[in-house]
Amino acid sequence: MTEYTEMLNRERNAEWRVALRNSVPNKERIAIERVKMTEVEPHERIKSQTCEVNRGLKAEQAQREASRCMDCVTPTCVEGCPVSINIPKFVKQIEAGKFLDAAVTLKEFSALPAVCGRVCPQEKQCELKCFYQQKMQKEPVAIGYLERFAADYERLSGKIQIPKVEARNGIKVAAIGSGPSSLSFAGDMIKFGYEVTVFEALHEIGGVLKYGIPEFRLPNSVVDVELENLKEMGVTFEKNFVVGRTASFDDLKELGYKAFFVGSGAGLPNFMNIPGENLNGVMSSNEYLTRVNLMYANQSDSDTPVMLGKRVAVIGGGNTAMDAVRTSKRLGAERSIIIYRRSLEEMPARLEEIKHAQEEGIEFMNLANPVEYLADAGGRVAKVRLQRMKLGEPDASGRRRPVAIEGDIVEIEVDLVIVAIGVSPNPLIPASLAGLKMSRYGTIEVNEETMQSSIPEIFAGGDIVRGGATVILAMGDGRRAAASMHRYLQEKYKKPTGK
Amino acid sequence: MNKIVEKYKLSENVCKFIVEAPMIAKSRKPGNFVILRVGDKGERIPLTIVDSDIEKGTITLIVQNVGASSRKLCQLGAGEFITDMVGPLGKATHIYKAGTILALGGGVGVAPLFPIVKAFKEAGNRVITILAARNKDLVILENEMRQWSDEVIVMTDDGSSGRKGLVTEGAEEVIKREKVDECVAIGPAIMMKFCALLTKKYDVPTQVSLNTIMVDGTGMCGACRVTVNGETKFTCIDGPEFNAHQIDFDELLQRMRAYKNEEDQARNKK
């Protein structure tokens, strides 16, 4: 039995947990229907970029939902969580009404519970592994909603508890980039007692949480509170700092940094390299979302402009495409269209975001792929030519490959096109590290368990290792990197001195 | 926050700032730029690093008041702070001993040209610099350029200083007069386009530094993309300098007008 499962067991056998289990017969628990989260009506929410769609659970709702959880002997849900949150514990704490304790439990495992409760694809992770889903063919316990509830409850209570940290050990480490993987790394390293500095190139901390995911899905104020917690714990943040440019790795080593975690992400947008793609009115989802989310271009007192469109096409089927297309609707588009080369079933976006987009009147043009953009007299995009597709044999990813239907080309009128077909690893940081082993996709090669790169003092995780992936996978990488960097540094700096 | 140590007015609409930024001063190379932001709702704008003083820990920026954001910056005085500044960004200029360099600067483009002229001179090249402006009040850095050039030719549209005429006329005379090994041109996109056409005719290798629209300046968004030799490149990480003879200038000119309406509105707000 591993240390972790032993801990889960020990916690499960706590007196209060046993009493709580016995207080309600399982039959009664199973009979409860999964909670529905209150949402702002589509016609109302599309009036505002900042109106969060999901309103969260009320205390009674959360307790009732938590009581559905069977507190399993072997909690498989935990296996589905990339940062291994002790899910039954915090859920049972909610059932018992100990909401602040639930928040503390979450923070032992996750640096950003309010974020993950909102943006994780739970249907593919913890909730997929829930007993109800696995054994009962019933809807799983709404773990994501409950996580969000506990984190929001604590934030709104004003009684935020800062996790305990070890006494400073005097060893300096750096995280490069301030997205989810680095924040998760920083949170764990500060708990272990290191002096942690997070370096960020932009003028705001948070990476994709700030420039990418829109306010209607993840309010910046929620992210800021979690960042504040990390600051309280002792993490230092340096903004406007490009490691490798502002100062080199060697400069930082001279300043005493002993090891580095590279979490610089996959910020480089992909384009399709088709004719007309550089016309005005065609831009990457990164540019569009950065202008709106980071630079507040939709607000009248912002100096940053953003192009508006009446007929907006968004190319792609991931979460970024959903964020961009829903943003365009909120900025006044009459038609907002998703153009995706496969069918609805293959879309990688979270189910909830697809549902929300559909409710908001987003049109879906599936099995279509742009081949050319055409301009109006002023040089702005006016039409997109689309190749109709059909699904062929499954490809390496197991998804059916889209194949062109010869000669079946349609044109639609558009005045704004957002390209959201994926991102590549940003080359800026790896380029400044001679000798770092890279894959041919431009990702940093690491040992999958230790997250250590070919240079011993450099660890890496998140999208710079995976290409484009999810917030929670990045956070899981950050945790693993922290654990193994801790082992590495203890070995290197502690033992010889006999401490 | 970066403190403005000194501020000078170079011409009616052009300001020079000496800004505290010790790390950037130390790591920057000719051709690099910074992105800066003034105010909490300010936009991110790119500016070339004109010079630096490692001992004092300062860099020099020169900005022309052309729109809302540059006006905000120009309104700041010594002792005040620039909200955000990040750099050095972009690839550094390839400086080497080429022989004779012809440096062409148009308007405020003379500012980003200065560190390149200085570096080429220091690398042992013969440097001929042409400074072009609409009129004599808009000619900047003439003394500094004279210090680092073997010859400086000033040209104004109206003949109010130096010779009357366009930068390309002066450039053509020099190319006809003597062998030029490499040309560097920086200024408005339309000027660079015509410089590129001219030097192509005479087969003189030419670099230009592009001033495209940028947001983050770190390769994240592609707002600054440009077609070079048929391929899409990002000015902020692949440039800002490119082989002038490979650039699709008409596309570049079109893209630089993308936000013209918004810019006009912002400029006229106050």
Side-chain angles (χ1 to χ4, degrees):
Chain A
M1 203 186 274
T2 67
E3 211 176 300
Y4 184 68
T5 51
E6 260 174 49
M7 187 271 284
L8 288 179
N9 255 308
R10 203 168 50 243
E11 294 282 0
R12 186 177 182 272
N13 293 330
E15 224 171 280
W16 70 272
R17 287 271 287 273
V18 178
L20 196 62
R21 274 201 298 281
N22 294 335
S23 68
V24 182
N26 282 353
K27 238 180 158 178
E28 234 172 79
R29 295 184 187 271
I30 290 169
I32 304 169
E33 291 289 315
R34 179 178 157 120
V35 67
K36 298 254 181 305
M37 192 178 278
T38 310
E39 297 172 357
V40 181
E41 289 295 322
H43 69 275
E44 197 56 45
R45 70 198 191 211
I46 60 167
K47 291 178 192 159
S48 159
Q49 177 71 11
T50 52
C51 165
E52 195 181 6
V53 173
N54 282 338
R55 303 314 293 179
L57 300 182
K58 294 191 171 60
E60 316 84 77
Q61 282 179 307
Q63 279 183 283
R64 189 175 160 79
E65 181 64 24
S67 72
R68 290 180 70 219
C69 167
M70 308 295 275
D71 202 2
C72 304
V73 183
T74 310
T76 43
C77 53
V78 173
E79 295 164 16
C81 174
V83 294
S84 310
I85 290 174
N86 186 345
I87 293 169
K89 183 179 180 186
F90 95 81
V91 171
K92 289 297 122 180
Q93 284 169 323
I94 291 177
E95 184 183 343
K98 296 187 281 190
F99 304 142
L100 290 173
D101 293 348
V104 170
T105 302
L106 284 166
K107 280 192 285 190
E108 279 171 37
F109 301 90
S110 168
L112 313 163
V115 172
C116 294
R118 284 170 166 82
V119 305
C120 274
Q122 288 95 2
E123 74 264 17
K124 293 175 189 160
Q125 298 174 339
C126 52
E127 294 182 17
L128 176 69
K129 296 278 182 114
C130 173
F131 162 80
Y132 281 93
Q133 177 85 28
Q134 300 265 314
K135 298 275 170 18
M136 303 277 296
Q137 276 85 49
K138 289 183 73 128
E139 284 198 285
V141 173
I143 300 166
Y145 289 180
L146 292 174
E147 178 181 22
R148 169 184 165 152
F149 168 78
D152 285 0
Y153 183 90
E154 187 195 39
R155 186 176 68 252
L156 299 172
S157 74
K159 292 175 210 149
I160 295 175
Q161 299 181 59
I162 305 305
K164 267 196 244 122
V165 298
E166 294 283 325
R168 299 296 80 170
N169 62 18
I171 301 176
K172 280 163 88 170
V173 298
I176 296 158
S178 70
S181 70
S182 286
L183 295 177
S184 171
F185 165 85
D188 277 3
M189 287 306 271
I190 202 84
K191 282 183 200 161
F192 294 151
Y194 293 88
E195 294 192 15
V196 187
T197 307
V198 177
F199 293 96
E200 166 58 46
L202 290 173
H203 61 269
E204 281 269 359
I205 302 297
V208 74
L209 307 176
K210 285 284 179 66
Y211 72 75
I213 304 173
E215 290 276 302
F216 56 79
R217 207 146 77 77
L218 177 65
N220 281 350
S221 56
V222 169
V223 182
D224 283 335
V225 170
E226 310 229 56
L227 295 174
E228 210 46 55
N229 290 345
L230 287 168
K231 280 184 203 163
E232 289 280 325
M233 288 162 72
V235 177
T236 306
F237 290 96
E238 286 273 359
K239 298 185 287 187
N240 297 313
F241 198 115
V242 186
V243 173
R245 307 302 305 262
T246 308
S248 68
F249 278 86
D250 286 339
D251 292 338
L252 292 177
K253 279 185 205 162
E254 261 178 49
L255 290 172
Y257 290 92
K258 300 293 184 206
F260 302 84
F261 173 77
V262 182
S264 52
L268 205 65
N270 294 339
F271 286 94
M272 294 174 69
N273 296 315
I274 56 175
E277 210 172 23
N278 289 346
L279 290 173
N280 289 339
V282 182
M283 69 180 86
S284 72
S285 49
N286 268 4
E287 178 180 350
Y288 187 61
L289 292 171
T290 298
R291 284 177 183 273
V292 177
N293 297 330
L294 184 74
M295 307 307 298
Y296 308 106
N298 57 316
Q299 299 177 13
S300 60
D301 58 346
S302 166
D303 292 343
T304 304
V306 64
M307 259 185 235
L308 300 177
K310 292 266 174 251
R311 293 174 298 261
V312 183
V314 176
I315 318 301
N319 285 321
T320 313
M322 294 306 141
D323 287 343
V325 82
R326 295 173 68 197
T327 294
S328 74
K329 197 83 191 176
R330 283 159 173 77
L331 301 192
E334 285 159 14
R335 285 187 79 182
S336 293
I337 313 162
I338 281 282
I339 295 173
Y340 182 55
R341 63 201 182 119
R342 302 182 202 242
S343 67
L344 201 60
E345 289 72 53
E346 283 89 19
M347 279 198 176
R350 283 178 89 212
L351 285 180
E352 188 176 46
E353 309 315 326
I354 296 175
K355 185 194 91 157
H356 283 161
Q358 286 169 331
E359 291 168 358
E360 288 164 12
I362 305 301
E363 298 169 51
F364 284 70
M365 278 190 83
N366 285 92
L367 294 165
N369 201 30
V371 287
E372 184 178 2
Y373 301 103
L374 306 165
D376 64 12
R380 176 155 173 172
V381 68
K383 279 178 187 175
V384 53
R385 282 168 66 81
L386 297 169
Q387 166 73 61
R388 293 282 197 178
M389 315 293 281
K390 61 182 176 194
L391 290 180
E393 295 301 307
D395 63 12
S397 72
R399 297 186 301 176
R400 293 179 65 191
R401 190 193 301 272
V403 204
I405 305 170
E406 196 85 20
D408 192 353
I409 298 221
V410 289
E411 276 181 9
I412 60 167
E413 292 189 2
V414 292
D415 54 9
L416 188 65
V417 175
I418 316 290
V419 183
I421 57 162
V423 283
S424 295
N426 194 310
L428 216 52
I429 302 230
S432 61
L433 269 171
L436 187 67
K437 205 167 160 203
M438 306 289 295
S439 77
R440 61 194 177 95
Y441 305 106
T443 52
I444 296 177
E445 288 197 359
V446 293
N447 175 313
E448 276 173 36
E449 268 158 42
T450 63
M451 310 310 286
Q452 196 167 23
S453 76
S454 59
I455 302 174
E457 70 272 23
I458 309 261
F459 296 68
D463 285 0
I464 191 71
V465 164
R466 297 171 176 274
T470 62
V471 166
I472 189 71
L473 285 174
M475 291 186 58
D477 289 352
R479 287 211 80 189
R480 260 177 302 139
S484 75
M485 186 189 284
H486 180 41
R487 283 194 299 274
Y488 168 79
L489 291 173
Q490 291 299 307
E491 192 96 354
K492 200 168 170 184
Y493 295 102
K494 277 290 175 90
K495 273 190 181 162
T497 60
K499 272 183 198 167
Chain B
M1 298 262 270
N2 299 81
K3 189 178 179 181
I4 296 170
V5 184
E6 290 166 67
K7 179 191 181 182
Y8 307 91
K9 206 163 183 180
L10 296 189
S11 75
E12 182 54 32
N13 272 322
V14 180
C15 292
K16 173 171 146 181
F17 293 98
I18 311 290
V19 185
E20 227 168 58
M23 274 188 288
I24 301 176
K26 195 175 152 206
S27 49
R28 75 102 203 184
K29 291 190 168 65
N32 286 150
F33 64 94
V34 291
I35 293 251
L36 57 80
R37 208 169 73 98
V38 181
D40 281 341
K41 290 288 176 83
E43 71 180 321
R44 296 169 65 91
I45 55 169
L47 274 181
T48 301
I49 304 165
V50 177
D51 210 347
S52 70
D53 185 326
I54 296 177
E55 271 173 33
K56 290 188 181 144
T58 58
I59 61 170
T60 304
L61 301 174
I62 291 180
V63 56
Q64 182 175 26
N65 181 350
V66 284
S69 293
S70 50
R71 179 176 56 210
K72 262 192 181 174
L73 180 56
C74 287
Q75 281 166 353
L76 294 181
E80 291 191 273
F81 290 85
I82 293 173
T83 315
D84 293 289
M85 188 160 84
V86 61
L89 301 170
K91 286 196 171 138
T93 310
H94 176 51
I95 303 289
Y96 64 111
K97 189 155 187 224
T100 300
I101 303 287
L102 175 59
L104 310 174
V108 79
V110 169
L113 186 66
F114 174 71
I116 297 170
V117 162
K118 185 176 166 188
F120 269 119
K121 186 67 209 158
E122 283 175 326
N125 291 287
R126 169 173 158 77
V127 181
I128 303 164
T129 303
I130 305 185
L131 305 179
R134 283 208 311 281
N135 61 55
K136 74 169 184 345
D137 295 332
L138 301 176
V139 177
I140 58 169
L141 300 182
E142 190 180 334
N143 290 334
E144 289 85 344
M145 284 294 200
R146 285 194 189 281
Q147 193 188 335
W148 295 99
S149 308
D150 294 271
E151 182 185 352
V152 171
I153 302 166
V154 175
M155 304 202 66
T156 48
D157 292 4
D158 62 0
S160 52
S161 175
R163 294 173 43 196
K164 184 171 159 47
L166 296 172
V167 66
T168 40
E169 296 167 38
E172 189 158 20
E173 275 176 37
V174 173
I175 294 170
K176 279 181 171 170
R177 180 185 84 191
E178 65 182 288
K179 184 175 182 303
V180 172
D181 295 285
E182 183 153 340
C183 177
V184 186
I186 308 180
I190 190 75
M191 165 218 150
M192 293 193 281
K193 175 185 169 171
F194 283 102
C195 288
L197 287 172
L198 172 80
T199 58
K200 183 141 204 232
K201 193 167 96 184
Y202 291 98
D203 215 12
V204 179
T206 301
Q207 301 287 319
V208 288
S209 180
L210 301 184
N211 45 355
T212 56
I213 291 173
M214 284 188 193
V215 184
D216 61 284
T218 58
M220 216 181 78
C221 80
C224 64
R225 64 197 192 277
V226 56
T227 303
V228 182
N229 207 14
E231 273 181 64
T232 294
K233 298 280 182 192
F234 289 7
T235 303
C236 69
I237 51 171
D238 300 316
E241 281 162 41
F242 294 103
N243 179 341
H245 300 154
Q246 295 180 339
I247 289 171
D248 184 340
F249 275 106
D250 293 333
E251 179 189 276
L252 177 77
L253 284 158
Q254 185 74 256
R255 286 184 64 79
M256 290 185 66
R257 284 195 291 270
Y259 286 97
K260 197 173 175 304
N261 292 339
E262 289 85 347
E263 285 162 6
D264 289 346
Q265 277 172 21
R267 189 181 303 121
N268 296 330
K269 254 189 208 165
K270 255 189 261 174

